[in-house]
Amino acid sequence: PGVFYYPHGVTIDPTTNYLYVCDSGNNRVQVFNESFEFIFMISDMMDVPAGICLKHDHVYVTQYNSNLLSVYSTDGKYLQSVGGEGKNNLEFDRPRGLDVSTEMKRIFIADFGNGRIQCLNFDLTFHSIIGDIFGAKDVKLTPEEIVVLSSDNLCVSIYSYSNQLIRKMIPFG
């Protein structure tokens, strides 16, 4: 505990102020208190955790190698997973970052290998696809927009919630 091998995603539990860190190379999520003291780890059903987000007493983790979105309780109990390798709805190819909108009751997942953002309902059923984004690496939500970081062409794309491209920023293009 406390040693990382390729740390990737992080999130903070606003209730406890616990820090959750995806320790991708060790196939676990490590949890620390405000003093960075190790509290516990989540390792059940982990296969290169890449992205992590915490909302409503659920920890959502993307599993890069097994192409899954897994859900855990905040104390680390495995609840369920959805996904698998593929290009269809509810299938992923190396999912990375994610974010959750409590207002829309949606989970937004950067489906890296498929070049898209998959939107799921809170019950883990498919809702929609956003964008055609080669190398979608991470996604963050604002009250009015969906911001997508793409690693392969080093750009940031901003979409409306109705899947309309608002603007694209390419820093060195």
Side-chain angles (χ1 to χ4, degrees):
V3 177
F4 301 99
Y5 180 60
Y6 194 60
H8 204 276
V10 298
T11 194
I12 295 176
D13 183 337
T15 310
T16 62
N17 288 324
Y18 284 177
L19 174 68
Y20 291 70
V21 182
C22 286
D23 186 5
S24 298
N26 288 316
N27 294 315
R28 63 188 180 188
V29 171
Q30 295 193 56
V31 182
F32 301 89
N33 65 15
E34 291 176 322
S35 301
F36 207 66
E37 296 168 323
F38 175 79
I39 303 299
F40 65 92
M41 77 175 70
I42 304 170
S43 58
D44 190 24
M45 305 293 291
M46 286 282 173
D47 189 13
V48 186
I52 190 167
C53 189
L54 192 144
K55 297 285 181 188
H56 295 296
D57 296 328
H58 288 95
V59 180
Y60 298 90
V61 180
T62 55
Q63 312 266 353
Y64 188 80
N65 277 356
S66 56
N67 299 296
L68 296 173
L69 170 68
S70 298
V71 185
Y72 300 84
S73 64
T74 52
D75 62 356
K77 291 186 180 85
Y78 172 78
L79 301 175
Q80 62 181 325
S81 292
V82 67
E85 186 175 0
K87 296 180 182 294
N88 296 317
N89 298 342
L90 294 176
E91 294 178 339
F92 304 102
D93 183 4
R94 296 168 285 147
R96 303 275 297 261
L98 73 155
D99 206 348
V100 175
S101 169
T102 53
E103 295 79 26
M104 297 179 65
K105 298 182 177 148
R106 305 265 187 275
I107 306 163
F108 294 78
I109 302 162
D111 190 359
F112 178 78
N114 286 322
R116 63 190 181 182
I117 302 300
Q118 280 207 57
C119 306
L120 308 184
N121 299 305
F122 275 178
D123 65 359
L124 301 186
T125 57
F126 175 79
H127 182 268
S128 60
I129 300 282
I130 292 180
D132 181 13
I133 311 133
F134 187 72
K137 181 179 176 183
D138 204 0
V139 58
K140 292 297 170 206
L141 307 175
T142 72
E144 298 171 1
E145 301 169 325
I146 301 164
V147 181
V148 181
L149 173 64
S150 175
S151 64
D152 291 341
N153 55 6
L154 299 174
C155 75
V156 174
S157 303
I158 300 176
Y159 291 84
S160 69
Y161 282 100
S162 60
N163 193 16
Q164 200 168 15
L165 180 64
I166 297 170
R167 65 185 170 274
K168 190 175 211 172
M169 297 173 276
I170 303 174
F172 302 108

